[in-house]
Amino acid sequence: MGEDLKEKPKKMPPDPNSAKYKLGQIAAKAYSDAQAAKKRGEMVGWCSSNFPVEIPETLGLYVCYPENQAAGIAARGGGQRLCEISEADGYSNDICAYARISLAYAKIKDAPEQNMPQPDFLLCCNNICNCMIKWYENLARELNIPMIMIDIPFNPDYEVSDAEVAYIKAQFLDAIKQLEQITGKKWSDERFKEVMEYSGRTSRAWLAATACAKYVPSPFNGFDLLNHMAVMVTARGKKEAAEAMETLLKEYEENHQNGTSTYRGEEKHRIMFEGIACWPWLRVTATGLKSRGINMVTTIYADAFGFIYKDFDDMCRAYARVPNAINLELARDKRIKLCKDNHVEGLLVHTNRSCKLWSGFMYEMSRQIGEACDIPVASFDGDQADPRNFSEAQYETRVQGLAEIMEERKAAKK
Amino acid sequence: MKTAEILEQFHQVASSPAKQKEAFLKAGKKVVLVAPVYTPEEIIHSMGLVPMATWGADIELKQAKKYFPAFICSIVQSIVELGMNGAFDGASAIVVPSLCDSLKVLGENWKYAVPSIPFIPMTYPQNRKPVYALDFVKAGYNRVISDLEKATGAKFEDEKLKKSIEIYNQHNAVMRKLEQVLADHPEITAVQRNDIYKSAGFMLKEDHTRLVNELIDALQESSSDVEKIKIMTSGILTDCPSLLSILDQNGFQIVTNDVAAESRQYRTDAPAADTGLDSLALKFSAMDNCSVLYDVEKKRVNLIVEQARQYGAKGVLVVLTKFCDPEEFDYPLMKKACEKENLPVLLVEVDRQMTNYEQARTMLEGFKDMLQA
């Protein structure tokens, strides 16, 4: 998702057999396939990031992901321009910047940073936030197109209840029926089984690859995950995605065996990064870590896209366990596990102005994670896509503070 | 009783919820806090418990800052602040429906910020209309019932729920009638009007119904030749006395509203059904026209225009609670719909921590000039 952080290779063209190349191709192809489908006269949808991709994938529908597009636009410097278009229409600048960018794009229909075809239908799922509902309602109204909404409520309990699974399942079946009517495509159980298998393969490889952070030093730079997760969001039900993720896992294992890493330089400290990336300030935020020898070895994304399930009901349950749909205790325990498994020494929290749900109980949760893992916690204010909500000076100060505490702790242990 | 005496009673209740709570506790009742926006109060009432509404308060946030970043709505933050500073001491539980993202985080933070008062979640479906959603609503109610039984020792009986539903339906009806009556009585100020609505959250509904009926009777015996500028209000909450005083000082009359804490509470009755829980689930399923309830057709937007026209409102005052994204998303569409019908709209952003309303005053003075032109 968004800009690749690393310097573009100057001498060698990228190795077409590398995971990085393959994953980049899949992410790019998602846009070009949708454009081509639109040109052929096929219907194209816009889809929220944690909508069950198995549904459009099984039906053979082409969908684009506005969150992914907004991140790309923001990373390439267009965030403020598009946000301001929505603000001029009366949208408060307190609203999620992805939504502001997307609503502006639906209006002006062109953004050189990342174009994508206009939608014929919308696929919305609120397991990420209820803001998503409002955003898609407005898109549906402004564009006068149908919206399919799968409601996966925030679960205040640790486990997903049978009542919730039944409610989600009924909606999945409803959504399939509606999509068949809208697009004329037909559901195939056989094809679903295939998609489910690819999704499982992709997810298992992703979980195993991200778990390679257990090695010290880590065989990868955690910012890689921010790039690769685009494929997990949009294409995990595809054969190519499964193969590319398996390649990634192989590369990380090889890196470990060879003593190499995609993290350049000495890995002095290992942190978990909490929150969506600050796409407009990606280079600044990455440099702030790298210059201090800090590797962000894990994020909740490592766990978030492990969609492993055995059947339809189980798939419904999996979609109710995504990060923003779960209570503080489960969210905390998932992170504690990631911190412990990956020998994390500090937690850096992005208090993301755009995301009320993600940031809303983060203060308490990060205190609990810090205590449980005995690691220092630092936070900084930022935004996933609006560059105006970030202060480089504050970021530097906070990261420096975190680095100093980790340094002191290391020295005390010697 | 005379109108002024009844209004004074409403004022006393609206301005001192703590006193109300203490009186209930002293009488041996158990109090359960109900958070915005739609809590199944009927269930709480039917169990012999007293549901008391909390929409926060106009206070400075201090302790709540330990839990919330600044960009979470101040209604939610001030509820936690009140909990942390002991204002709710004695309450047996708080029921929080998670209809918006800020309400979701309210519940999660509450568990740690105010551990002495148990948090009871109410999870509603957003896809409310299909039949399968009813089972999920009922599962949510059953969860609330079981948690309430644990927290208070009270027992649930469906027959009693049916009786409470009747009481709540009657209250809805009287509140809808009140809006119509008040539209013809411009002598009732915005501040007084707010007392009537706000007090509903701090009284048993049967008592509130009785008092509102008395007010309606008293008002219907009188008439007024006061002339004010008729407006409609829209938003989550419009209970700030400073803002309401500015409306009164500038001669505005709120003739109708689309406010979550006011008329949105009373639009939908629970229909008859086999069981009380079925009836209540059907009520939720039938609810609409609110920013926290999914509606791809955005019927609310047109309803505002129609309602304003029906009551002869010359303009719409949108009181936007800062950081309330459900309302912030609806606003541009609402504005567009009103402008299309030549219905002037004024947006005033409010925050529970606001102390200076001079900017709002200037805007409202300008709005007045525009509506009078």
Side-chain angles (χ1 to χ4, degrees):
Chain A
M1 194 181 272
E3 290 278 68
D4 196 326
L5 273 177
K6 294 183 284 295
E7 294 292 323
K8 297 231 176 338
K10 286 168 192 159
K11 301 170 201 164
M12 301 274 287
D15 174 3
N17 294 317
S18 69
K20 184 183 163 189
Y21 181 82
K22 287 181 182 174
L23 291 164
Q25 286 296 301
I26 294 168
K29 200 166 173 286
Y31 286 107
S32 58
D33 281 355
Q35 291 281 17
K38 187 82 181 179
K39 269 191 192 151
R40 288 196 301 272
E42 284 197 45
M43 293 180 105
V44 168
W46 281 7
C47 183
S48 58
S49 66
N50 266 332
F51 188 93
V53 289
E54 290 80 356
I55 293 178
E57 188 67 33
T58 302
L59 287 166
L61 298 172
Y62 291 93
V63 291
C64 298
Y65 293 82
E67 291 153 77
N68 192 286
Q69 181 201 29
I73 289 173
R76 294 173 192 123
Q80 185 169 340
R81 190 182 78 253
L82 271 83
C83 281
E84 284 173 350
I85 291 169
S86 284
E87 287 159 26
D89 282 338
Y91 288 99
S92 165
N93 61 6
D94 295 325
I95 287 177
C96 161
Y98 281 180
R100 275 179 283 150
I101 290 172
S102 174
L103 287 158
Y105 185 74
K107 182 182 178 185
I108 61 168
K109 306 186 195 309
D110 181 43
E113 295 88 352
Q114 181 64 68
N115 271 308
M116 64 185 198
Q118 288 296 310
D120 301 292
F121 58 89
L122 299 165
L123 304 180
C124 179
C125 182
N126 65 329
N127 52 359
I128 186 163
C129 60
N130 275 20
C131 169
M132 195 64 74
I133 303 177
K134 304 302 295 180
W135 165 5
Y136 275 56
E137 274 178 1
N138 286 21
L139 284 175
R141 167 112 178 183
E142 296 288 7
L143 300 171
N144 194 23
I145 54 172
M147 166 175 169
I148 287 155
M149 155 77 176
I150 290 181
D151 169 37
I152 300 186
F154 182 86
N155 183 8
D157 297 316
Y158 210 87
E159 301 299 334
V160 183
S161 69
D162 291 343
E164 183 166 357
V165 172
Y167 171 56
I168 296 169
K169 186 178 177 180
Q171 293 179 85
F172 277 24
L173 297 174
D174 226 357
I176 291 166
K177 217 180 289 168
Q178 288 178 63
L179 273 171
E180 284 182 334
Q181 280 165 2
I182 293 168
T183 66
K185 304 267 175 134
K186 286 282 160 246
W187 179 265
S188 148
D189 285 334
E190 209 174 307
R191 173 71 186 133
F192 171 66
K193 212 177 145 201
E194 206 173 59
V195 170
M196 192 168 80
E197 275 163 19
Y198 287 134
S199 180
R201 255 179 75 187
T202 313
S203 296
R204 275 189 292 275
W206 167 260
L207 286 175
T210 57
C212 287
K214 67 187 173 205
Y215 300 124
V216 181
S218 168
F220 64 88
N221 180 342
F223 274 80
D224 293 354
L225 305 183
L226 302 179
N227 292 321
H228 302 332
M229 77 179 192
V231 170
M232 289 309 295
V233 171
T234 63
R236 60 181 176 273
K238 292 183 194 292
K239 187 183 175 195
E240 307 79 51
E243 287 170 355
M245 284 300 167
E246 284 161 358
T247 308
L248 185 73
L249 169 61
K250 197 166 148 261
E251 287 178 5
Y252 285 175
E253 286 290 2
E254 281 169 4
N255 283 356
H256 169 61
Q257 278 154 20
N258 302 333
T260 56
S261 173
T262 59
Y263 183 82
R264 309 287 177 219
E266 185 196 351
E267 182 185 275
K268 290 187 194 159
H269 306 291
R270 301 159 63 86
I271 63 160
M272 176 170 181
F273 182 88
E274 181 58 56
I276 299 175
C278 255
W279 294 114
W281 297 95
L282 201 54
R283 192 168 292 277
V284 169
T285 48
T287 307
L289 298 180
K290 207 175 163 200
S291 64
R292 294 173 175 87
I294 299 172
N295 189 8
M296 181 261 269
V297 291
T298 192
T299 87
I300 191 62
Y301 293 126
D303 174 274
F305 298 111
F307 285 98
I308 295 170
Y309 46 83
K310 55 182 189 302
D311 54 29
F312 202 91
D313 282 24
D314 212 26
M315 177 176 78
C316 297
R317 209 173 283 274
Y319 277 96
R321 287 174 69 88
V322 299
N324 273 7
I326 55 178
N327 72 3
L328 187 150
E329 294 75 21
L330 180 56
R332 173 199 66 200
D333 292 351
K334 280 174 178 284
R335 286 160 171 89
I336 289 174
K337 185 174 185 314
L338 285 169
C339 285
K340 290 191 171 169
D341 287 353
N342 298 310
H343 316 289
V344 163
E345 298 157 321
L347 177 63
L348 181 61
V349 178
H350 173 199
T351 303
N352 179 359
R353 177 72 178 256
S354 268
C355 194
K356 294 181 174 72
L357 184 51
W358 200 325
S359 299
F361 58 83
M362 189 54 68
Y363 288 0
E364 176 59 23
M365 185 163 76
S366 52
R367 272 194 293 273
Q368 294 188 19
I369 297 167
E371 276 172 34
C373 302
D374 190 26
I375 54 171
V377 178
S379 69
F380 68 96
D381 299 315
D383 195 285
Q384 62 204 31
D386 187 336
R388 295 167 290 184
N389 295 331
F390 173 82
S391 152
E392 196 172 342
Q394 189 213 41
Y395 179 78
E396 279 294 312
T397 313
R398 300 288 170 88
V399 172
Q400 179 61 28
L402 182 66
E404 284 171 12
I405 300 172
M406 291 192 292
E407 199 76 56
E408 281 168 21
R409 287 184 160 217
K410 252 184 197 154
K413 276 183 190 166
K414 276 180 188 167
Chain B
M1 258 196 301
K2 286 180 187 164
T3 303
E5 288 169 28
I6 303 169
L7 289 173
E8 179 56 24
Q9 280 198 33
F10 283 124
H11 177 68
Q12 287 303 323
V13 175
S15 55
S16 53
K19 217 164 134 188
Q20 288 293 108
K21 182 195 72 179
E22 289 311 318
F24 285 126
L25 293 176
K26 215 173 158 188
K29 298 266 188 190
K30 286 189 173 163
V31 167
V32 173
L33 303 167
V34 294
V37 177
Y38 305 108
T39 311
E41 276 193 42
E42 292 91 333
I43 289 175
I44 301 166
H45 183 275
S46 75
M47 292 170 75
L49 309 164
V50 181
M52 283 193 77
T54 175
W55 294 72
D58 293 331
I59 48 170
E60 193 188 340
L61 300 173
K62 290 178 184 164
Q63 303 187 79
K65 284 183 180 167
K66 197 179 154 196
Y67 291 89
F68 296 99
F71 50 82
I72 303 293
C73 105
S74 56
I75 296 176
V76 159
Q77 290 204 57
S78 64
I79 291 174
V80 168
E81 185 74 29
L82 290 170
M84 292 181 82
N85 70 24
F88 298 138
D89 284 359
S92 298
I94 183 169
V95 182
V96 184
S98 51
L99 283 166
C100 74
D101 293 331
S102 296
L103 287 166
K104 294 174 192 172
V105 305
L106 165 61
E108 296 309 302
N109 282 327
W110 182 274
K111 291 184 277 192
Y112 298 96
V114 196
S116 59
I117 301 176
F119 156 60
I120 300 179
M122 174 61 214
T123 307
Y124 284 113
Q126 283 288 354
N127 267 324
R128 307 177 301 287
K129 307 296 175 187
V131 176
Y132 55 73
L134 296 176
D135 288 336
F136 188 65
V137 185
K138 282 192 281 180
Y141 290 155
N142 280 319
R143 162 71 190 277
V144 169
I145 290 167
S146 124
D147 282 6
L148 280 172
E149 287 184 338
K150 235 180 279 167
T152 66
K155 288 282 161 238
F156 173 78
E157 286 173 45
D158 198 79
E159 282 308 309
K160 286 188 179 165
L161 176 60
K162 283 184 177 171
K163 281 183 192 143
S164 293
I165 285 172
E166 264 177 51
I167 290 169
Y168 273 74
N169 281 351
Q170 281 164 8
H171 186 249
N172 289 350
V174 80
M175 293 305 282
R176 291 193 293 260
K177 188 174 173 190
L178 173 77
E179 175 148 292
Q180 290 172 351
V181 172
L182 288 181
D184 294 329
H185 286 273
E187 76 276 16
I188 303 296
T189 66
V191 171
Q192 288 168 333
R193 183 186 168 282
N194 176 58
D195 285 338
I196 309 169
Y197 279 95
K198 194 168 180 175
S199 57
F202 309 142
M203 293 171 77
L204 284 167
K205 291 293 182 286
E206 52 271 45
D207 296 337
H208 197 255
T209 298
R210 207 172 300 125
L211 203 56
V212 174
N213 270 327
E214 282 184 35
L215 177 71
I216 290 172
D217 290 346
L219 285 173
Q220 283 176 336
E221 283 167 16
S222 67
S223 63
S224 166
D225 53 5
V226 176
E227 277 195 25
K228 288 185 179 172
I229 306 160
K230 294 180 177 184
I231 56 164
M232 174 176 184
T233 46
S234 178
I236 292 290
L237 186 67
T238 52
D239 72 345
C240 173
S242 306
L243 181 68
L244 295 171
S245 296
I246 297 171
L247 293 183
D248 287 333
Q249 287 155 16
N250 283 281
F252 287 109
Q253 181 198 0
I254 301 169
V255 286
T256 186
N257 78 89
D258 160 58
V259 174
E262 297 179 12
S263 71
R264 289 192 219 168
Q265 296 293 317
Y266 307 119
R267 283 176 186 154
T268 315
D269 290 341
D274 289 346
T275 70
L277 279 187
D278 284 325
S279 166
L280 214 51
L282 287 167
K283 173 188 171 181
F284 184 73
S285 166
M287 288 175 86
D288 257 321
N289 300 309
C290 177
S291 57
V292 299
L293 300 174
Y294 167 54
D295 178 18
V296 71
E297 294 169 38
K298 292 268 185 188
K299 293 188 282 293
R300 175 189 176 213
V301 169
N302 296 331
L303 181 80
I304 290 170
V305 177
E306 285 164 24
Q307 203 175 316
R309 290 283 180 238
Q310 187 193 337
Y311 279 85
K314 289 191 167 171
V316 178
L317 171 64
V318 178
V319 181
L320 187 74
T321 301
K322 194 159 172 56
F323 303 121
C324 173
D325 46 44
E327 290 285 310
E328 287 170 349
F329 271 104
D330 280 2
Y331 172 68
L333 301 183
M334 191 197 300
K335 183 170 159 265
K336 213 194 270 182
C338 288
E339 282 170 355
K340 200 174 151 202
E341 297 294 318
N342 293 319
L343 190 61
V345 178
L346 176 69
L347 175 79
V348 172
E349 210 173 42
V350 294
D351 188 301
R352 278 253 185 242
Q353 288 192 94
M354 241 165 104
T355 49
N356 186 335
Y357 284 83
E358 286 316 298
Q359 197 186 349
R361 181 186 298 279
T362 309
M363 290 165 81
L364 282 159
E365 284 167 356
F367 195 50
K368 176 185 169 183
D369 292 342
M370 187 169 82
L371 297 185
Q372 283 179 326

